[in-house]
Amino acid sequence: MTKRENPLGLWISRGVIWVLLSVVALIMIFPFLYMFFTSLKTTTDVFRAPPRLLPYSPVTVEVDGAQVNVYSFVIDGVERSMIVDTAAGTTQFGFFGAPSDINAADPQASANLRQIPMAEATPTGNRVTIGGQNFDEYTVTVDGETQTLLLAYRRGLRRFVALDDPNVETYAVERLAPLQEQVVFQWSNYNSVLNLRNLDRSLINTALVTVLVTAGQVVTSLLGGYAFSRIPFRGRNAVFLVYLGTIMIPFVVLIIPLYQLMVIIGWQNRLASLIFPWIFTAYGTFLMRQFFITIPKDLEEAAFLDGLSRLGILWRVFVPLSGPAIATQTIITFLYAWNSFVWPLVIINEGNT
């Protein structure tokens, strides 16, 4: 008798596996998502700390023909949308407190300070020393009561007025005021980059070279792999070993002779020099050969009986069965060709034309 599995336990185990795989997949894809959303941010939002995933932009309104930022303040327990009163300029405010409230080491960290315009404060001419620091004494009015307090520090503040009622006002440092923001994707960033120093032409050239190199390597690897795996000829294994051994030759050893060859042929500063030297690869040929060896010979013999040529067998039998190998080589070759830097830097000296 075969033991019957518990359906509930099977669903639970599958659910746990699905959750774990989803979490791992999200962790793996998160850096890509962050880079993508960062490309759609404004410059200010890119350098914001702490960083955010989605691109935010300030909410703006038109005032006197100009776009101004909208800020959010809580006035008397009500959250209001406010803008800077550009006509008012900067107002000097003093932050006053009792001697017991002053933090001599860091006056801006003092507790229970009163924010009062300097124009409404009257100096008494006295100074009080706290923790080795001197603080000026002023006479100020707080809640209708005249008090003598110490000036902890002063700061220039901007006047903010409510959008729906200009009589509602508050004062704050503009760069520290809480902006109202909304998610806005800056698709124009891509247009700006493409128009930067002929970058659109650079991308076209890179894509063209990458596609042609990838296609060339796949085609030559298919032909070479089939020849080394299925076509018997004298010295086949020896030739294959020599060809495979070229993988061990460092690229830096080939730069000078390859450069001289391109100059002799007349391919310097030509896209051909970025394509044709790289459409032959020992690694791709080795990959295809090893995969073709696993394909049963019965299929090849049946194709021979049906009258197919060597090329027909390769195209109609081997290629359809070699999807995983072709996909692997395509991905590896595409990444290599796209990220190629040293050889284009050496052989191309006239920019993107």
Side-chain angles (χ1 to χ4, degrees):
M1 293 180 61
T2 58
K3 187 177 179 180
R4 201 175 171 188
E5 295 186 6
N6 184 1
L8 180 60
L10 182 62
W11 280 104
I12 292 176
S13 62
R14 288 180 177 178
V16 172
I17 293 174
W18 182 87
V19 171
L20 291 176
L21 291 177
S22 298
V23 171
V24 173
L26 183 61
I27 294 174
M28 296 295 292
I29 201 174
F30 179 78
F32 171 79
L33 292 177
Y34 182 78
M35 289 187 293
F36 172 70
F37 286 124
T38 300
S39 69
L40 300 173
K41 293 181 179 181
T42 61
T43 303
T44 303
D45 196 28
V46 168
F47 296 100
R48 182 186 183 277
R52 298 175 294 191
L53 178 62
L54 296 178
Y56 285 86
S57 294
V59 176
T60 60
V61 295
E62 185 174 348
V63 177
D64 297 332
Q67 294 291 327
V68 296
N69 293 333
V70 179
Y71 300 83
S72 181
F73 290 93
V74 177
I75 307 296
D76 297 330
V78 179
E79 185 174 356
R80 292 183 174 273
S81 298
M82 312 186 77
I83 60 174
V84 176
D85 183 5
T86 56
T90 301
T91 303
Q92 288 293 323
F93 275 77
F95 292 80
F96 300 88
S100 59
D101 296 329
I102 301 297
N103 184 344
D106 186 5
Q108 296 188 19
S110 303
N112 302 321
L113 297 182
R114 284 78 169 176
Q115 177 181 314
I116 301 172
M118 291 301 299
E120 300 177 7
T122 303
T124 63
N126 299 327
R127 280 191 166 186
V128 176
T129 301
I130 302 176
Q133 300 292 331
N134 295 323
F135 295 90
D136 295 329
E137 189 179 67
Y138 284 78
T139 300
V140 297
T141 302
V142 180
D143 297 330
E145 179 183 352
T146 302
Q147 300 181 13
T148 300
L149 300 175
L150 301 182
L151 175 63
Y153 66 97
R154 67 180 68 194
R155 174 177 287 173
L157 304 180
R158 299 299 300 271
R159 179 174 180 262
F160 292 81
V161 296
L163 285 173
D164 55 351
D165 186 359
N167 294 321
V168 178
E169 65 178 14
T170 189
Y171 289 86
V173 178
E174 183 176 1
R175 65 181 179 86
L176 300 179
L179 273 169
Q180 286 190 7
E181 296 179 307
Q182 59 185 351
V183 176
V184 178
F185 295 95
Q186 305 291 333
W187 298 105
S188 59
N189 290 350
Y190 286 94
N191 186 51
S192 301
V193 171
L194 291 176
N195 292 330
L196 180 66
R197 296 181 63 86
N198 202 24
L199 186 60
D200 54 345
R201 185 62 181 176
S202 302
L203 290 175
I204 293 174
N205 288 344
T206 302
L208 177 63
V209 170
T210 301
V211 170
L212 293 179
V213 169
T214 302
Q217 284 200 15
V218 171
V219 171
T220 58
S221 297
L222 286 171
L223 296 173
Y226 181 74
F228 284 119
S229 64
R230 294 303 194 187
I231 302 177
F233 57 89
R234 186 183 298 274
R236 183 181 68 175
N237 294 335
V239 173
F240 177 71
L241 288 176
V242 172
Y243 188 38
L244 188 61
T246 59
I247 296 178
M248 296 183 294
I249 301 176
F251 171 67
V252 293
V253 177
L254 302 175
I255 291 180
I256 294 178
L258 193 58
Y259 179 83
Q260 291 176 335
L261 179 61
M262 294 299 104
V263 172
I264 294 173
I265 298 176
W267 282 358
Q268 186 184 14
N269 296 318
R270 298 291 183 267
L271 289 181
S273 62
L274 302 178
I275 299 172
F276 290 103
W278 310 112
I279 62 176
F280 305 97
T281 166
Y283 172 78
T285 302
F286 171 74
L287 179 67
M288 293 302 171
R289 175 187 179 273
Q290 296 306 109
F291 191 87
F292 289 164
I293 290 176
T294 64
I295 297 177
K297 289 187 177 181
D298 296 343
L299 296 177
E300 186 179 14
E301 293 172 355
F304 270 125
L305 293 176
D306 289 337
L308 288 180
S309 63
R310 287 286 187 183
L311 189 59
I313 294 174
L314 173 63
W315 178 251
R316 297 190 179 185
V317 178
F318 281 73
V319 170
L321 295 175
S322 305
I326 295 174
T328 300
Q329 185 182 358
T330 299
I331 294 173
I332 294 175
T333 305
F334 183 91
L335 292 176
Y336 172 82
W338 183 270
N339 294 324
S340 178
F341 175 74
V342 176
W343 177 245
L345 181 65
V346 171
I347 200 64
I348 302 295
N349 300 317
E350 295 181 354
N352 295 281
T353 57

